[in-house]
């Protein structure tokens, strides 16, 4: 089934550790996104990529980095995790380059930083 | 940056029509209005999108007045499975300007 996969499903991480959240899409979409979702704050954009080889910062990029080596993969890295990064992380993709294009979301990764 | 404002929560009963309004006073000329639905422990999914007037699909209708400063998502005859969080999103030309907001939590009771 076409769509977006994320790994791991959940993770408990010690503060200070490095962690990479994986995201893969098989729809050949140009644009990909990473959001975090916290209770009462809705979805906030961390980073985005509008095509392979390019990335940009969203609303809350500090403490996170991304790369887009190819069309399908868009990993999110926490270089040194802190408790405030405890959240549910969603990866999404869209076909076009317009901000209004429909986004397709993955199932999410629940990350707990202790 | 087109900020949106929605009610935090709404309650309804099965079989009723539910209307959720979103305010977006500074919507730009090229912006589209998109609604997403999110169930617990799942990512959001697209429901409907429009630019002006009315759009209808198999699950919802979207009403947009002429000034486009607000929009209303209409869910006809809701069921328990429509219990979810609904997000209004105003799309702008740059990816970094996408703002989901906190959404509206709809609870449908028997």
């Amino acid at each position: 089934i076409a769509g977006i996969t994320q790994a791991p499903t959940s993770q408990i991480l010690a503060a200070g550790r490095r962690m990479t959240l994986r995201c893969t899409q098989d729809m050949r979409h140009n644009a990909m996104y990473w959001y975090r979702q916290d209770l009462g704050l809705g979805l906030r954009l961390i980073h985005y990529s509008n095509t392979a080889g390019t990335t940009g910062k969203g609303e809350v990029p500090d403490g996170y980095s991304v790369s887009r080596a190819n069309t399908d993969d868009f990993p999110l890295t926490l270089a040194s995790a802190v408790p405030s990064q405890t959240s549910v992380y969603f990866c999404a993709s869209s076909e076009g380059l317009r901000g209004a294009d429909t986004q397709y979301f993955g199932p999410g990764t629940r990350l707990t930083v202790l | 940056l087109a900020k949106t404002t929605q009610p935090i929560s709404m309650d309804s009963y099965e079989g009723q029509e539910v209307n959720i309004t979103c305010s977006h006073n500074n919507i730009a000329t090229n912006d589209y209005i998109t609604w997403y639905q999110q169930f617990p422990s799942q990512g959001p999914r697209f429901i409907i999108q429009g630019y002006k007037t009315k759009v209808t699909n198999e699950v919802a209708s979207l009403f947009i007045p002429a000034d486009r400063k607000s929009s209303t998502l209409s869910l006809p005859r809701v069921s328990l499975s429509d219990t979810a969080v609904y997000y209004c999103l105003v799309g702008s030309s740059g990816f970094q300007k996408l703002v989901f907001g906190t959404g509206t939590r709809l609870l449908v009771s028997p």
Side-chain angles (χ1 to χ4, degrees), chain A residues 66-87:
Chain A
V66 292
S67 61
R68 187 88 183 277
N70 56 60
T71 298
D72 299 341
D73 301 301
F74 191 43
L76 176 73
T77 298
L78 290 68
S80 179
V82 296
S84 62
Q85 292 177 310
T86 293
S87 187

Side-chain angles (χ1 to χ4, degrees), chain A residues 31 33 35 37 40-43 45 48 50 57 90 96-103 105-107, chain B residues 32 34 36 38 41-46 49 87 89 91-96 98 100-102 105:
Chain A
Y33 316 80
Y35 292 90
Q37 186 169 40
L41 294 177
L43 284 153
L45 182 66
Y48 66 94
N50 58 9
K57 295 181 179 180
F90 289 100
L97 303 181
R98 296 184 311 142
D101 283 319
T102 300
Q103 294 185 40
F105 285 79
Chain B
Y32 280 74
T34 310
Y36 287 82
Q38 185 179 25
S41 301
Q42 295 185 26
R45 67 171 189 171
F46 172 89
Q49 183 181 78
Y87 294 94
L89 182 65
S92 111
S93 58
F95 298 109
Q96 68 274 26
L98 294 174
F100 265 78
T102 57
R105 188 173 298 276

